[in-house]
Amino acid sequence: SQQGEEDPQALSIQEGENATMNCSYKTSINNLQWYRQNSGRGLVHLILIRSNEREKHSGRLRVTLDTSKKSSSLLITASRAADTASYFCATDTTDSWGKLQFGAGTQVVVTP
Amino acid sequence: NAGVTQTPKFQVLKTGQSMTLQCAQDMNHEYMSWYRQDPGMGLRLIHYSVGAGITDQGEVPNGYNVSRSTTEDFPLRLLSAAPSQTSVYFCASNLQRSSFEAFFGQGTRLTVV
């Protein structure tokens, strides 16, 4: 079974708007990561947040982690057409470090 | 830097055929993994390796073999292809034990008919 579940499954926004997607997981984690996948390409790492961190920023990305709710959110501010992609959360857990478990992803479409 | 290189990019197999998907990385990463990606299911871990000579099973290992004779290479072997193995396969390597940022190859799209 999947450790991470993203919500929503799909998101359509206009350029300049913010995009928010959520990830929920089932068991205690070491780290949670977000990846982007452009159509037909491999995944690209965006940001990693450790279990003892609550918020992290990288450019237009903001990630939060709430371990009490076993959830994380990814916010992309001021979206661009180039942000059109699928976004996945991935976790590694305390009893399986290094073995990433991915959710099903959120498809984001940013229209000009 | 080439990063993680997968070959071939596309492959069509007949049921029962065997083949090897190649993966090579030039970043001297200890950790390498194979995932398959199916529609609506995200990525699922097939096998992984924490270093040359050491491999372990992931979530969906049946029908696949791996070996790791060098740090650079981590081939995935399909022993007897089945239509259920139609998928996109990704190889990934990890930077170091304390940081699990994974670098992915471009994928191999495999169709088994």
Side-chain angles (χ1 to χ4, degrees):
Chain A
S1 63
Q2 289 177 263
Q3 161 77 324
E5 297 289 341
E6 284 93 342
D7 171 61
Q9 289 185 326
L11 183 60
S12 185
I13 57 175
Q14 291 193 317
E15 267 191 332
E17 293 181 336
N18 294 342
T20 300
M21 60 210 85
N22 304 296
C23 169
S24 58
Y25 56 90
K26 298 173 184 173
T27 59
S28 295
I29 61 170
N30 286 327
N31 308 286
L32 186 142
Q33 305 179 50
W34 286 92
Y35 288 82
R36 182 187 74 230
Q37 184 182 35
N38 292 97
S39 181
R41 307 296 296 271
L43 279 72
V44 174
H45 180 264
L46 294 176
I47 194 165
L48 179 151
I49 188 165
R50 301 191 188 282
S51 59
N52 61 354
E53 296 176 316
R54 293 296 167 258
E55 188 170 313
K56 207 161 182 182
H57 297 256
S58 176
R60 293 185 295 113
L61 305 179
R62 174 181 170 248
V63 169
T64 62
L65 179 64
D66 187 335
T67 53
S68 67
K69 295 181 179 178
K70 292 187 170 60
S71 69
S72 172
S73 68
L74 172 67
L75 168 68
I76 305 173
T77 60
S79 298
R80 305 167 182 169
D83 294 326
T84 294
S86 292
Y87 293 81
F88 296 87
C89 68
T91 58
D92 65 279
T93 63
T94 51
D95 62 350
S96 62
W97 55 264
K99 295 168 70 172
L100 294 179
Q101 290 186 283
F102 287 82
T106 294
Q107 271 191 315
V108 175
V109 175
V110 183
T111 53
Chain B
N1 247 351
V4 179
T5 303
Q6 288 183 239
T7 56
K9 286 189 170 57
F10 302 93
Q11 183 70 49
V12 179
L13 287 180
K14 293 183 179 178
T15 297
Q17 285 185 317
S18 62
M19 81 159 294
T20 299
L21 307 186
Q22 301 292 343
C23 176
Q25 53 94 6
D26 61 0
M27 296 173 282
N28 202 30
H29 288 175
E30 296 173 283
Y31 304 91
M32 297 186 73
S33 310
W34 276 102
Y35 295 86
R36 59 178 288 172
Q37 184 177 32
D38 300 296
M41 298 193 70
L43 278 75
R44 291 182 292 169
L45 181 65
I46 305 171
H47 285 285
Y48 73 104
S49 169
V50 300
I54 307 169
T55 64
D56 204 350
Q57 295 181 349
E59 183 185 353
V60 288
N62 292 340
Y64 307 95
N65 270 0
V66 292
S67 59
R68 184 99 179 266
S69 56
T70 67
T71 300
E72 294 78 19
D73 300 301
F74 191 43
L76 178 73
R77 282 182 288 277
L78 280 70
L79 308 173
S80 177
S84 61
Q85 293 178 305
T86 293
S87 187
V88 181
Y89 291 86
F90 288 98
C91 178
S93 69
N94 289 25
L95 186 60
Q96 39 178 303
R97 180 169 175 163
S98 61
S99 169
F100 299 107
E101 173 187 350
F103 293 79
F104 283 81
Q106 294 299 298
T108 295
R109 185 173 294 274
L110 175 69
T111 303
V112 183
V113 298

